[in-house]
């Protein structure tokens, strides 16, 4: 019997759509044909297949609603309300995530301008070395619509999909309907989920693919996997790698468990399953990894970028301190990092500096305040605590969920061993939150069914408090809020784009006006590592932007005499080093410009 067939159909459809989108990008890129016409033809064909598929799918929504109890209906209404509010935010607010201004979105503009996804000279090597899976999906929207108005919908779809996957995994682990709804609620009301669901970050997308691997693998543990199902698992694993390599810390063990289960049904079959996963990863991620390897001599990018994220110490003391810091930051309440003192004390006893660069992101110091709700750092104390408690209880309980709980804890261990603590690390563990939500739900559901009213009502109250935290994130979360100062309805679009750095807006708009007045078409960029490049593409559409700096060994930067003008985002003295003294220009705050004399 197929468990939750409608949800399974949606998961399969999402994987197929993403695979087609990725293969289309890589194939069209070979011919410099990434343009609106070619992509539009692809999606017209896909729309026809979708219409046929939808005619066959007729979920019974009315009986589902009629059979729900009061608490279950409350959970459905809460989740629906939150995601509906997120939909409003996603459609009204322009993309304004900090990282997106620097590297997520500029590379999409370069791809659209060049008609391919080949690497190009830039000082912002994160535009090239960071996995592009989510941006490939955004590229389709960019080419079809000509802008970024629909960009936020990709992460929103991933958030909704993650809630559906959490509920289906719960069903696969033996959870009844209420437990399935609790799993969706635990994941879907986490403040970080609701804030990222309206952004152009990538963490919900990778969580979606990791969750897809998990639910597909659970289907195949007790049978000989048919090849269509094996290909879907391979595709989900490949999409995980292409979106963010940290997702493999969970997807890898899940695939290994599946392959072992297949080996028990035949050694050859197990080997073939493993080869299918490798092939899926190679097909979807191979072209990108090859570009990174040939450019930086390493498939994970330049050394400084790898070292800024990955742990350089793996001794037990350093790993324990890293785990404690990550846990404290994720579970932090509005009272602040109250547990950081104890963690510092433990670190001192172990002889570990809690801000040691070998275990801490460059330039960061521990502790860091992760509340109030901000998409880059917000904690999820209720949801996180429920996941950890549920996973701990079920790990030692005989029965079906024990193996799954073991895989979850293995993924947690792999994460704290390999990834440094960082102030914005809460968003990086969303895939662990999704995998852990079913374990929390199974434990919570047992308490909700407890005959002692004080136990069941207490747990109901805990879920309500978690939902209130989600409500706070949706309503006043930063940098896209529904109510209060700088909300999305009263703040002009351009101001929303610069809400992270409002002082830069006038600098950028003044310099952009100077470029238009000068008639500059090919514009050279001189930037810092964290400079916002994307606003130039928005303020100066239909211009060619090239970098006058390059961190790519075999890709020289454009010469300054090949451009009509230069935009330098740096203190004026730094810009003066690069700009020809004979070129007239000006300065507005952090931006200096110069125009080639005619």
């Amino acid at each position: 019997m197929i468990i939750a067939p409608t949800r399974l159909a949606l998961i399969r459809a999402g994987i197929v759509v993403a695979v087609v989108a990725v293969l289309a990008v890589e194939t069209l890129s070979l011919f410099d044909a990434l343009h609106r016409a070619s992509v539009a033809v692809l999606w017209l064909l896909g729309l026809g297949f979708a219409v046929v598929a939808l005619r066959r799918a007729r979920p019974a929504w009315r009986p589902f609603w009629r059979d729900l109890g009061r608490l279950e209906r409350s959970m459905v209404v809460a989740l629906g309300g939150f995601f509906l509010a997120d939909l409003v935010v996603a459609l009204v607010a322009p993309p304004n995530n900090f990282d997106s201004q620097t590297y997520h979105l500029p590379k999409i503009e370069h791809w659209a301008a060049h008609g391919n996804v080949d690497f190009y000279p830039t000082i912002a090597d994160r535009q090239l070395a960071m996995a592009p899976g989510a941006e490939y999906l955004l590229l389709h929207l960019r080419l079809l619509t000509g802008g970024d108005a629909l960009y936020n919908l990709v992460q929103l779809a991933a958030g909704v999909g993650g809630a559906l996957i959490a509920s289906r995994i719960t069903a696969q682990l033996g959870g009844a309907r209420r437990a399935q709804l609790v799993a969706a609620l635990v994941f879907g009301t986490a403040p970080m989920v609701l804030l990222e669901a309206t952004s152009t970050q990538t963490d919900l997308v990778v969580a979606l693919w990791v969750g897809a691997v998990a639910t597909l693998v659970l289907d195949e543990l007790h049978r000989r996997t048919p090849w269509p199902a094996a290909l879907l698992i391979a595709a989900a694993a490949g999409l995980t790698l292409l979106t963010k390599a940290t997702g493999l810390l969970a997807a890898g063990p899940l695939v290994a468990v599946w392959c072992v289960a297949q080996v028990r049904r035949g050694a050859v079959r197990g080997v073939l399953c493993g080869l299918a996963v490798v092939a899926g990863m190679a097909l979807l991620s191979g072209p990108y990894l090859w570009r990174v390897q040939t450019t930086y001599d390493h498939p994970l990018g330049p050394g400084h970028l790898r070292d800024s994220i990955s742990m350089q110490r793996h001794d037990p003391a350093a790993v324990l301190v890293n785990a404690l810091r990550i846990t404290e930051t994720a579970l932090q309440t509005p009272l602040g990092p109250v547990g950081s003192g104890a963690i510092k004390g433990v670190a001192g006893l172990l002889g570990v500096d809690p801000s040691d660069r070998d275990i801490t992101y460059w330039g960061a110091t521990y502790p860091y305040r992760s509340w109030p709700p901000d998409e880059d750092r917000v904690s999820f104390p209720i949801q996180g605590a429920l996941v950890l408690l549920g996973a701990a209880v079920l790990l030692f309980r005989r029965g079906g969920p024990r193996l799954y709980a073991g895989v979850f804890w293995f993924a947690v261990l792999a994460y704290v061993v390999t990834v440094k603590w960082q102030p914005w690390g809460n968003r990086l563990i969303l895939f662990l939150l999704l995998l852990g939500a079913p374990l929390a739900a199974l434990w919570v559901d047992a308490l909700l069914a407890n005959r002692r009213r004080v136990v069941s009502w207490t747990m109901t109250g805990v879920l309500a408090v978690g939902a209130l935290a989600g409500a706070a994130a949706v309503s006043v979360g930063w940098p896209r809020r529904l109510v209060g100062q700088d909300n999305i309805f009263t703040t002009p679009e351009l101001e929303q784009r610069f809400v992270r750095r409002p002082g830069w807006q006038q600098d950028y708009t003044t310099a952009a006006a100077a470029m238009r007045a000068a008639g500059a078409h090919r514009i050279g960029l001189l930037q810092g590592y964290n400079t916002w490049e994307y606003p130039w593409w928005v303020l100066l559409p239909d211009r060619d932007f090239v970098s006058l700096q390059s961190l790519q060994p075999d890709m020289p930067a454009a010469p300054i005499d090949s451009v009509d003008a230069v935009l330098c985002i740096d203190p004026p003295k730094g810009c003066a080093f690069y700009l020809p003294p004979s070129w007239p220009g000006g300065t507005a705050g952090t931006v200096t410009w110069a125009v080639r004399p005619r």
Side-chain angles (χ1 to χ4, degrees):
M1 184 182 77
I2 298 177
I3 298 175
T6 300
R7 279 170 278 178
L8 177 60
L10 291 172
I11 294 164
R12 289 172 172 172
I15 294 172
V16 170
V17 168
V19 167
V20 171
V22 168
L23 294 180
V25 166
E26 292 290 358
T27 302
L28 293 173
S29 177
L30 295 174
F31 305 97
D32 297 334
L34 279 171
H35 304 298
R36 176 178 295 182
S38 56
V39 172
V41 170
L42 170 71
W43 286 107
L44 285 174
L45 293 173
L47 183 62
F49 286 111
V51 170
V52 174
L54 287 174
R55 290 183 63 182
R56 296 182 178 180
R58 297 180 180 179
W61 297 113
R62 290 183 180 179
F64 167 77
W65 178 258
R66 185 178 60 242
D67 295 339
L68 294 180
R70 182 179 301 176
L71 177 59
E72 294 168 334
R73 289 187 178 185
S74 298
M75 289 189 282
V76 171
V77 169
L79 273 174
F82 288 149
F83 282 129
L84 182 60
D86 265 356
L87 176 61
V88 173
V89 176
L91 291 174
V92 174
N96 60 0
N97 173 265
F98 190 101
D99 286 349
S100 296
Q101 309 288 345
T102 302
Y103 63 94
H104 286 306
L105 302 187
K107 61 184 175 184
I108 296 174
E109 296 301 319
H110 284 284
W111 296 339
H114 302 155
N116 59 57
V117 293
D118 294 344
F119 283 3
Y120 47 85
T122 179
I123 194 172
D125 51 15
R126 287 178 295 178
Q127 293 183 13
L128 309 182
M130 301 297 273
E135 290 87 346
Y136 278 6
L137 304 180
L138 294 177
L139 176 60
H140 285 265
L141 294 176
R142 168 64 177 82
L143 294 175
L144 290 172
T145 67
D148 59 17
L150 301 181
Y151 276 7
N152 295 332
L153 296 182
V154 170
Q155 281 260 111
L156 177 59
V160 175
L164 292 175
I165 287 175
S167 69
R168 184 171 191 268
I169 291 175
T170 306
Q172 292 171 291
L173 296 177
R177 183 178 57 215
R178 184 174 61 189
Q180 297 170 40
L181 289 172
V182 170
L185 190 77
V186 168
F187 178 77
T189 59
M192 181 61 79
V193 171
L194 291 169
L195 284 171
E196 275 227 6
T198 61
S199 82
T200 45
Q201 278 285 13
T202 63
D203 305 287
L204 279 176
V205 178
V206 71
L208 177 73
W209 302 136
V210 171
V213 172
T215 193
L216 293 175
V217 163
L218 287 174
D219 278 339
E220 305 305 325
L221 292 183
H222 304 293
R223 68 168 184 171
R224 292 169 61 91
T225 302
W227 284 112
L231 293 177
L232 281 171
I233 294 174
L239 290 169
T240 299
L241 176 58
L242 185 64
T243 304
K244 188 165 284 190
T246 50
L248 290 181
L249 299 174
L254 286 163
V255 169
V257 169
W258 168 57
C259 287
V260 169
Q262 295 305 301
V263 167
R264 296 175 62 183
R265 289 165 175 77
V268 174
R269 191 173 188 83
V271 172
L272 291 177
C273 288
L275 292 176
V277 172
V278 172
M281 289 184 174
L283 179 65
L284 296 175
S285 302
Y288 151 71
L289 292 175
W290 175 254
R291 289 191 290 271
V292 177
Q293 172 67 40
T294 54
T295 301
Y296 300 109
D297 295 325
H298 196 286
L300 296 180
H304 71 90
L305 191 59
R306 301 195 308 272
D307 293 344
S308 69
I309 298 172
S310 60
M311 291 273 284
Q312 268 81 64
R313 287 183 59 178
H314 301 94
D315 55 283
V319 171
L320 175 60
V321 171
N322 194 45
L324 291 174
R325 294 178 306 164
I326 291 171
T327 303
E328 184 277 322
T329 306
L331 301 183
Q332 202 174 112
T333 70
L335 297 177
V338 293
S340 61
I343 293 174
K344 285 184 175 181
V346 172
L349 291 174
L350 296 174
V352 177
D353 178 359
S355 295
D356 182 3
R357 181 170 173 171
D358 287 342
I359 62 172
T360 305
Y361 191 89
W362 292 355
T365 57
Y366 177 80
Y368 192 84
R369 191 177 184 90
S370 57
W371 192 275
D374 182 305
E375 70 167 357
D376 281 339
R377 65 176 188 267
V378 67
S379 57
F380 32 92
I382 298 296
Q383 294 83 0
L386 292 177
V387 165
L388 294 178
L389 289 170
V393 170
L394 294 179
L395 180 64
F396 297 101
R397 180 179 296 175
R398 294 176 180 269
R402 192 173 187 178
L403 174 61
Y404 182 84
V407 174
F408 168 80
W409 283 113
F410 184 90
V412 170
L413 177 62
Y415 182 88
V416 300
V417 167
T418 58
V419 181
K420 292 177 176 178
W421 175 89
Q422 47 195 286
W424 42 89
N426 287 342
R427 63 181 179 81
L428 301 182
I429 58 176
L430 285 181
F431 70 95
L432 295 174
L433 177 68
L434 193 156
L435 290 183
L439 298 171
L442 293 171
W443 176 65
V444 168
D445 185 57
L447 295 179
L448 291 174
N450 194 291
R451 293 182 179 181
R452 297 179 181 178
R453 283 197 168 189
V454 65
V455 175
S456 60
W457 279 103
T458 297
M459 188 49 62
T460 301
V462 169
L463 293 175
V465 172
L468 287 176
V474 171
S475 56
V476 298
W478 195 250
R480 295 167 299 279
R481 54 178 43 157
L482 282 170
V483 298
Q485 186 178 3
D486 297 322
N487 71 77
I488 61 174
F489 301 111
T490 61
T491 306
E493 179 184 317
L494 190 59
E495 287 186 25
Q496 291 185 58
R497 292 183 182 274
F498 284 91
V499 72
R500 285 287 192 189
R501 294 290 187 272
W504 291 357
Q505 181 180 342
Q506 187 61 47
D507 303 345
Y508 274 69
T509 54
T510 300
M515 295 294 99
R516 287 191 292 269
H521 182 76
R522 182 176 169 85
I523 300 172
L525 296 177
L526 293 167
Q527 308 180 91
Y529 196 69
N530 278 312
T531 298
W532 285 11
E533 178 182 327
Y534 185 63
W536 298 123
W537 296 92
V538 175
L539 294 169
L540 295 167
D542 302 322
R543 264 72 170 185
D544 293 332
F545 290 97
V546 295
S547 179
L548 300 179
Q549 306 150 289
S550 177
L551 289 182
Q552 290 66 56
D554 299 324
M555 297 180 186
I560 199 167
D561 58 5
S562 69
V563 299
D564 304 324
V566 176
L567 287 168
C568 180
I569 307 88
D570 205 43
K573 289 185 179 180
C575 296
F577 177 81
Y578 293 97
L579 301 179
S582 61
W583 287 27
T587 297
T590 59
V591 182
T592 298
W593 66 89
V595 179
R596 173 189 292 276
R598 295 185 177 179

